[in-house]
Amino acid sequence: MSNARGHEKGSGVIRFKRFVIHELIGVGGMAEIYRGSAEQTDGKTVPIVFKRVKQEYAENETFVRMFLDEAKLSVRMKHPNIVEVFEYGKDGNINYLTMEYIDGLHLQDTHKRYECMNNRPLPWQAVTLIVREILKGLQYTHELTDEDGKPLGLVHRDVNLDNVMISRQGYVKLLDFGIVKAREGVRQAETAAGVLKGKLSYVSPEQVAGMPASPCSDIFSVGIVFHELLTGRRLFLSDTDLATLMAVKSGSIPDPRSIRGEIPQEVSGIVFKALERDVSKRYSSAREMLVD
């Protein structure tokens, strides 16, 4: 974390402003993620996650503006099922945000660990509970308004097993709203034509067709997560990106009950409705799916 104002290094940690950065825990396409702590006014420290834009993007004004605009939106999002963003800022060539530290596992790791220990996927009852909590977070996101009560039109666009965490206390938390997009009020650099954000095997058919993402697109992604947790099998992932996109667009969707007979018909029906390729037949909102 070189060339930042007000930071110093020593004893294996890096001090930046009132934060102590302990270790690198992840690297994404645009950012580096560190485990750290924040010093409070009362002298106590609290664990945090410190996320900063990669150096190769730090001089790209459009990208940095996008990052800071979206961070500003994330700070407004306060919900039990969403990882909280505390603050954001720019200091020298460091563009950063700090987030709530979750003592737990990503849903992908939780799923794999349970399967390895028990030789079967998570119980369908637990899966249904997890999906219900994801939907609560999405309902809040989709219905969030500005100070005047005008809908912000937020869409997560990257709901997948790696962007959900399960804390040791059993809380389900949605994270990584770095590619959340507001229909209005958020300046965002345009991606190259045809490039999809989010993991390809979790996008919706309308996104594959080049249409804008909507709350219904998030519902389709939830349907994929639901199906994969119930069956223990990847739904659309194929050998190539093109094959994966074709599977999302028109691949067969097996009935979860054909893989695990103990799954109730009602649960299977919810999965299929979330995975309707015809948007008019899909759940129209997280709220509607949550009711079922």
Side-chain angles (χ1 to χ4, degrees):
M1 297 182 61
S2 60
N3 302 321
R5 296 194 302 271
H7 88 275
E8 56 188 58
K9 192 173 181 178
S11 305
V13 299
I14 297 172
R15 294 187 177 275
F16 171 73
K17 303 180 75 172
R18 65 186 184 88
F19 309 114
V20 179
I21 313 303
H22 298 291
E23 61 177 331
L24 181 70
I25 58 176
V27 179
M30 72 171 191
E32 298 167 345
I33 303 170
Y34 298 83
R35 181 179 65 84
S37 56
E39 298 171 350
Q40 297 182 308
T41 54
D42 60 4
K44 296 179 181 180
T45 61
V46 294
I48 61 164
V49 170
F50 185 92
K51 183 175 182 178
R52 73 153 189 174
V53 173
K54 285 181 175 180
Q55 288 301 106
E56 56 261 41
Y57 297 111
E59 303 302 323
N60 185 321
E61 292 184 6
T62 301
F63 185 89
V64 169
R65 188 172 65 242
M66 176 188 75
F67 175 82
L68 294 177
D69 280 347
E70 293 183 337
K72 183 179 180 180
L73 274 176
S74 296
V75 167
R76 293 186 55 190
M77 301 170 71
K78 308 293 184 185
H79 190 273
N81 295 114
I82 295 175
V83 172
E84 184 174 359
V85 174
F86 298 128
E87 64 178 83
Y88 64 94
K90 177 178 173 63
D91 190 281
N93 66 344
I94 291 184
N95 303 277
Y96 69 93
L97 61 80
T98 63
M99 299 183 292
E100 173 186 10
Y101 175 78
I102 305 298
D103 182 18
L105 293 173
H106 290 273
L107 183 52
Q108 180 77 275
D109 297 327
T110 303
H111 170 60
K112 287 181 177 178
R113 181 173 293 191
Y114 184 90
E115 196 166 33
C116 287
M117 292 176 63
N118 299 277
N119 199 32
R120 64 186 180 92
L122 286 162
W124 69 264
Q125 296 94 333
V127 172
T128 304
L129 172 62
I130 290 168
V131 171
R132 189 174 68 186
E133 297 301 294
I134 293 172
L135 287 167
K136 288 178 183 178
L138 286 176
Q139 176 186 326
Y140 169 84
T141 303
H142 296 160
E143 296 179 358
L144 192 65
T145 63
D146 64 15
E147 293 83 354
D148 298 322
K150 183 179 180 181
L152 287 170
L154 297 179
V155 182
H156 188 286
R157 301 202 303 169
D158 201 19
V159 178
N160 62 69
L161 294 174
D162 286 325
N163 277 343
V164 178
M165 289 201 71
I166 311 293
S167 75
R168 291 184 185 274
Q169 294 76 32
Y171 298 112
V172 179
K173 298 270 191 174
L174 260 174
L175 70 154
D176 199 357
F177 284 78
I179 62 172
V180 164
K181 182 178 180 181
R183 295 192 187 99
E184 296 179 354
V186 177
R187 298 181 299 272
Q188 179 160 343
E190 292 298 324
T191 54
V195 175
L196 287 171
K197 288 185 174 182
K199 291 182 172 61
L200 294 182
S201 60
Y202 291 94
V203 299
S204 66
E206 58 268 24
Q207 289 171 276
V208 174
M211 298 171 63
S214 70
C216 282
S217 305
D218 282 347
I219 296 301
F220 192 88
S221 299
V222 172
I224 298 172
V225 169
F226 203 173
H227 193 286
E228 292 185 350
L229 289 176
L230 288 172
T231 63
R233 301 180 185 181
R234 295 299 299 270
L235 183 56
F236 296 129
L237 184 65
S238 301
D239 293 335
T240 66
D241 288 350
L242 179 59
T244 296
L245 293 176
M246 292 305 296
V248 170
K249 189 176 180 180
S250 58
S252 62
I253 300 174
D255 187 336
R257 301 182 76 238
S258 68
I259 300 169
R260 293 178 68 188
E262 73 271 22
I263 297 172
Q265 181 64 51
E266 293 84 352
V267 172
S268 183
I270 294 170
V271 174
F272 275 119
K273 186 168 182 178
L275 290 173
E276 280 283 358
R277 291 187 169 96
D278 183 341
V279 178
S280 66
K281 296 179 181 178
R282 196 183 306 162
Y283 286 108
S284 61
S285 66
R287 181 185 292 272
E288 183 187 5
M289 184 174 176
L290 187 56
V291 169
D292 276 3

